[in-house]
Every structure is written in C-alpha cells, then in structure tokens.
Amino acid sequence: MNERILELMNEAAGSTPNGDSTWEEQMLFMNRFAELIMKECGAALCPMLRDMISRGQAVDLINKHFGVK
C-alpha cells in the first residue's frame, strides 16, 4: 500500500478518542480517513487547475499521487 495512504490511516486513527472498535469509533475513523483522502486529491489536482489539463490527466495525477497502477 502507498506510504502516504498509510500515513493518512494513522492520522485518521489518531482522531478516535480511545482507539476502541465500537461502531461510533469506526465511523469517526472512516469519516476522517475519507476527509483526508479528499484533501490529498485536491492537492494532487492543483497542477490540473493551474495548467488546465484534461480529465484523463487528472485521473493519472491522482493515481500517481497514491501509487495506484
């Protein structure tokens, strides 16, 4: 798995109050993890917005950013 994704997972896990595995804790983690991923996607797309590249190139940028093949 991409190292940045692991970092985001750890950051999201740190947002849970006591690390328990209750439903509420899991939902808090998933919401925070999704939020962090979306922020990363926005950061990965900055060059697209600046250079007005195509959608296909935007997808490639996101995949490259997260190490997806």
Side-chain angles (χ1 to χ4, degrees), residues 8 12 29-41:
L8 294 174
F29 166 79
M30 289 185 288
N31 287 330
R32 181 68 179 140
F33 186 48
E35 178 184 314
L36 292 171
I37 288 175
M38 292 308 299
K39 286 182 180 179
E40 285 286 315
C41 289

Side-chain angles (χ1 to χ4, degrees), residues 2-69:
N2 179 287
E3 186 172 324
R4 183 61 183 140
I5 293 175
L6 292 173
E7 290 171 2
L8 294 174
M9 285 175 57
N10 288 331
E11 186 176 338
S15 68
T16 57
N18 58 18
D20 287 344
S21 190
T22 65
W23 176 251
E24 291 80 13
E25 295 286 327
Q26 291 176 21
M27 289 301 295
L28 182 62
F29 166 79
M30 289 185 288
N31 287 330
R32 181 68 179 140
F33 186 48
E35 178 184 314
L36 292 171
I37 288 175
M38 292 308 299
K39 286 182 180 179
E40 285 286 315
C41 289
L45 290 177
C46 280
M48 181 191 82
L49 298 174
R50 183 180 59 240
D51 301 331
M52 299 301 290
I53 61 176
S54 73
R55 283 186 214 153
Q57 288 171 311
V59 170
D60 291 341
L61 278 173
I62 291 173
N63 287 340
K64 182 179 177 183
H65 185 78
F66 284 106
V68 176
K69 296 181 181 187

